[in-house]
Amino acid sequence: MDVILETFIVLGKFLYYFLESLVYKIIPKSKKDVAGEIVLITGAGSGIGRLMAIKFASLGAILVLWDINEEGNMETCRLAKEKGGEKVFAYKCDCSNRQEVYRVADQVKEEVGDVTILINNAGVVTGKPFLNTPDHMVERSFLVNALSHFWTCKAFLPAMIKANHGHLVCISSAAGVIGIKGLSDYCSSKFAAFGLAESLFFELKLIKGSKLKTTIVCPYFIKTGMFDGATTKCPLLLPILEQEYAAKKIVNAILEEQVYLLMPKIVYLALIFKQIFSPNMLLALAKYSGVDTCMANFRGREKANEDQNETEKDHQS
Ligand SMILES: NC(=O)c1ccc[n+]([C@@H]2O[C@H](COP(=O)([O-])OP(=O)(O)OC[C@H]3O[C@@H](n4cnc5c(N)ncnc54)[C@H](O)[C@@H]3O)[C@@H](O)[C@H]2O)c1
């Protein structure tokens, strides 16, 4: 009898939540007010991290910016202040170093206060075929893209749980839900980040009366320079995203407290295809869309910067 009753209850809940999600597709969710919230962004020294910082500054948030690149981080700090950020704090922090994360986290708690929105955004990519990927680069990918999320969450989550107020944001990747050729260490570290965030989402959600939020972001390539040289064969279906667009969508997902943001939308379909198509069908689709060769001309930010410096030197001489 209990089982039958429980089954009816769960079916009722399914219907209710299904209709609720349909309503939210038509009427956009109200956005939360982040004025006065303490938002920490790792990897704030460039790309998406910088753009998110600027957007949160204009919304009145108190910003804590972390990056291993002090110069880039100070520039973000300057830009965020220019965009109206009244309280912006920049810290040099190597997120791959557990002790350093805990030390700088303590400093933040003392100097700024308890972080209420934690955005794990710092990331690195190697972009080499599996057997050409040096061991230390594999370790670096896992340390920055996945393990650092454990340290930052451990540092800031206790205060969020105590106050029953907080939001964890994980910047994973489309490569964190679908394996891509030439990105073995990146994909696996991003799968790990996704898994941690999803597991934490359930753990926090199941605390009675919990108001803690989680957002997991999985974008395809974005024009920040990180994936310089990566290509797409189907720009209409699988575009390389403009960084302004991507940052806007991410901030919006955080404000609307969305749990998942996969972009472009075709990434949601790819997840479904993965479950229902045969491996050969998936391979044919990868070849058709150019995902099989998307990393063939990859140079990445470091190579792109080197080339830029060379060109500048040539122009000067
Ligand atoms: N650009 C893309 O195509 C793309 C696609 C999907 C997901 N992402 C993810 O989005 C996030 C932001 O990427 P982006 O495109 O803005 O790249 P980016 O290179 O512009 O920014 C990454 C930032 O992380 C910082 N960083 C690297 N190692 C660090 C460390 N050990 N400690 C602290 N900071 C460190 C870098 O200095 C840099 O400022 C990353 O997690 C990336 O994996 C990017």
Side-chain angles (χ1 to χ4, degrees):
M1 191 60 193
D2 277 356
V3 177
I4 294 171
L5 187 68
E6 276 180 27
T7 310
F8 272 111
I9 290 173
V10 84
L11 287 175
K13 281 185 177 172
F14 256 64
L15 186 64
Y16 174 83
Y17 292 130
F18 176 68
L19 293 175
E20 185 190 45
S21 63
L22 279 188
V23 170
Y24 284 137
K25 291 265 176 278
I26 304 161
I27 310 163
K29 275 187 181 172
S30 61
K31 293 185 174 58
K32 71 172 163 190
D33 181 8
V34 290
E37 297 286 339
I38 303 184
V39 180
L40 188 151
I41 305 173
T42 70
S46 71
I48 296 302
R50 171 172 293 168
L51 292 176
M52 287 191 292
I54 292 170
K55 287 190 194 309
F56 277 110
S58 67
L59 294 170
I62 299 166
L63 283 173
V64 180
L65 311 175
W66 282 14
D67 207 293
I68 193 169
N69 170 0
E70 208 169 5
E71 206 184 313
N73 210 25
M74 288 315 294
E75 177 60 8
T76 305
C77 184
R78 189 188 67 76
L79 290 169
K81 283 183 176 164
E82 210 176 85
K83 293 288 168 189
E86 282 175 15
K87 292 182 179 170
V88 188
F89 303 84
Y91 293 84
K92 182 173 191 277
C93 181
D94 176 358
C95 295
S96 69
N97 182 324
R98 180 164 49 96
Q99 284 84 4
E100 193 165 322
V101 168
Y102 289 150
R103 179 181 57 73
V104 183
D106 284 343
Q107 207 181 331
V108 168
K109 287 178 215 171
E110 215 174 285
E111 294 171 1
V112 189
D114 288 328
V115 168
T116 53
I117 302 180
L118 169 62
I119 307 179
N120 278 309
N121 164 76
V124 288
V125 59
T126 312
K128 291 180 190 294
F130 176 67
L131 288 177
N132 297 347
T133 308
D135 291 352
H136 73 272
M137 299 290 261
V138 175
E139 282 169 354
R140 184 183 77 141
S141 292
F142 273 83
L143 285 167
V144 181
N145 297 350
L147 283 171
S148 71
H149 297 204
F150 282 83
W151 321 140
T152 54
C153 288
K154 283 199 167 210
F156 297 112
L157 194 51
M160 292 187 192
I161 294 175
K162 197 168 167 209
N164 196 13
H165 177 77
H167 196 147
L168 298 179
V169 181
C170 164
I171 307 296
S172 175
S173 169
V177 288
I178 300 155
I180 295 175
K181 181 186 159 191
L183 281 173
S184 52
D185 57 334
Y186 185 76
C187 282
S188 45
S189 62
K190 289 292 184 180
F191 266 71
F194 185 99
L196 164 66
E198 195 169 59
S199 165
L200 263 180
F201 161 69
F202 284 112
E203 194 168 322
L204 298 174
K205 196 81 186 158
L206 290 169
I207 299 173
K208 210 170 178 327
S210 171
K211 290 185 181 149
L212 300 175
K213 309 292 175 196
T214 303
T215 296
I216 309 172
V217 181
C218 300
Y220 193 60
F221 295 133
I222 311 167
K223 287 181 199 162
T224 59
M226 184 186 199
F227 277 90
D228 197 78
T231 54
T232 179
K233 215 168 102 186
C234 284
L236 275 180
L237 277 179
L238 214 46
I240 297 192
L241 304 166
E242 296 296 332
Q243 46 175 340
E244 269 291 344
Y245 168 83
K248 196 172 150 203
K249 292 285 281 183
I250 298 171
V251 171
N252 200 53
I254 297 169
L255 298 180
E256 287 187 0
E257 299 180 337
Q258 283 177 40
V259 180
Y260 300 102
L261 172 67
L262 279 60
M263 58 182 167
K265 283 207 164 41
I266 191 113
V267 182
Y268 290 97
L269 268 187
L271 257 187
I272 301 170
F273 291 167
K274 219 171 92 154
Q275 315 304 322
I276 57 174
F277 286 0
S278 75
N280 281 337
M281 287 163 81
L282 291 175
L283 213 57
L285 209 58
K287 284 184 181 165
Y288 171 76
S289 61
V291 171
D292 60 332
T293 52
C294 65
M295 289 295 289
N297 298 316
F298 170 81
R299 304 179 323 147
R301 184 182 293 292
E302 280 148 36
K303 186 76 181 63
N305 286 347
E306 272 171 31
D307 290 354
Q308 168 88 18
N309 292 342
E310 287 296 316
T311 317
E312 277 168 16
K313 268 188 216 159
D314 284 351
H315 285 180
Q316 281 161 9
S317 62

